[in-house]
Amino acid sequence: MLIVSRQAPWAGPAAREALDIALAGGAFGLPLAILFLDDGVFQLQQGQAPAALEQKNLCANLQALDLFGVEAVYACQHSLHVRGLAAGTLAVEAQPLAAEAITALFNRFDEVITL
Amino acid sequence: MATLHVLSHSPFTDGRLASCLRVLGPEDGLLLCGDAVYALADASALRHPRLYALEEDVQARAVVAKAAVEVVDYPAFVALTLTYAKVNSWL
Amino acid sequence: MSTLIADGREIALDKDGFLCELADWSPAVATALAEREGISLGEVHWAVLAVLRDFYREFQLSPATRPLVKYTAVRLGPEVGNSAQLNRLFNGTPAKLAAKLAGLPKPTNCI
């Protein structure tokens, strides 16, 4: 299953929900990948300090993807670029993908969930 | 293994369509429903061989389709979903 | 809701026996919680609890079984970090019970 997370981290529940699906699926050994697209790439920004927002710390939770068995973490190159983010400076290691690679990624999985 | 992408947000207030068009493969389908059908008013932005729009949403909004599109009713929409390997709704 | 007496304090527990306030945790609290589960904490238990508290500090969430096994294997080696051993140490439900004894919230992806 491919999870496409395309909402900014603190805008609403979507980013949290996408991550929860990934962590739950990973915990049960489901083969899955997560793609950060559009504002979703802001989730990967380094140095976020959301303590004052009094929500669960999404940034810290994202670091656990690997341990939960979600090893395939991708980010849309275009989304990163237009938002001034560089792949090498992210808080979570994500492989940047060009548009054609994302097209192929969508079609590699049996299920896609976009949030 | 092609994907049917389903959009329901207006392209004038939201980036989903632009983003979807960027990653849409030639074999993939694109179905517009809800406010996404407003995208049909601008033919220059929307050129895709497998472009569909939901009839009742087009009619309800009095959208004049300038882009080449196949207008489908609900049964045809359901049939369409079965011709693709999967459906991706841009929620 | 119930309470636990440890450290000479009265400590609030939720309906599943997890601490209501994570800050209430202390080794004495862990010992008292373990007694309620019929476990006498040994050296390896303590090592696993410390690993769990590190996990929580780092990721801000309680691990499900798989990540718990993986992380424990990295930290304490494969002799402890395997599901058979963790099951044995924590009555067959390591993710849930070890999180409880370590003073962590109940894991969300846990049946």
Side-chain angles (χ1 to χ4, degrees), chain C residues 25-34 39-57 63 68 71-72 75-76 80 86 89-90 94-104:
Chain C
W25 191 88
S26 71
V29 168
T31 305
L33 285 170
I39 294 177
S40 160
L41 294 176
E43 196 184 324
V44 185
H45 288 106
W46 286 112
V48 175
L49 296 191
V51 163
L52 262 163
R53 292 183 64 78
D54 285 348
F55 188 102
Y56 189 77
R57 213 169 292 128
L68 171 63
Y71 193 69
T72 311
R75 295 285 306 273
L76 303 177
V80 180
L86 288 170
L89 287 167
F90 295 99
K96 199 170 154 208
L97 188 52
K100 186 189 284 187
L101 303 186
L104 272 42

Side-chain angles (χ1 to χ4, degrees), chain B residues 24 27 34 38-39 44 46-47 55 61 64 68 74-75 78 81 83:
Chain B
L24 196 66
E27 300 300 316
Y38 285 125
S44 59
L46 204 52
R47 233 174 259 128
E55 188 175 34
R61 289 165 182 76
V64 179
Y74 259 109
V78 174
T81 62
T83 65

Side-chain angles (χ1 to χ4, degrees), chain A residues 28-99:
Chain A
F28 285 106
L30 225 68
L32 46 83
I34 187 163
L35 166 70
F36 294 93
L37 181 69
D38 298 336
D39 279 352
V41 298
F42 282 133
Q43 295 172 42
L44 308 173
Q45 172 88 271
Q46 233 169 18
Q48 297 180 64
L53 301 180
E54 296 189 349
Q55 293 178 32
K56 282 183 83 180
N57 190 333
L58 188 80
C59 319
N61 293 175
L62 280 166
Q63 307 287 339
L65 277 171
D66 184 44
L67 276 170
F68 274 73
V70 185
E71 283 149 17
V73 179
Y74 305 104
C76 169
Q77 208 159 41
H78 175 85
S79 305
L80 288 171
H81 178 74
V82 298
R83 287 166 184 77
L85 296 171
T89 66
L90 304 175
V92 180
E93 202 179 316
Q95 188 187 339
L97 294 183

Side-chain angles (χ1 to χ4, degrees), chain C residues 3-50:
Chain C
T3 51
L4 175 81
I5 308 290
D7 265 350
R9 293 177 294 153
E10 201 169 293
I11 287 156
L13 303 178
D14 71 7
K15 61 175 171 47
D16 298 311
F18 286 77
L19 296 185
C20 292
E21 286 299 326
L22 307 189
D24 279 341
W25 191 88
S26 71
V29 168
T31 305
L33 285 170
E35 265 169 31
R36 286 162 54 104
E37 308 287 343
I39 294 177
S40 160
L41 294 176
E43 196 184 324
V44 185
H45 288 106
W46 286 112
V48 175
L49 296 191

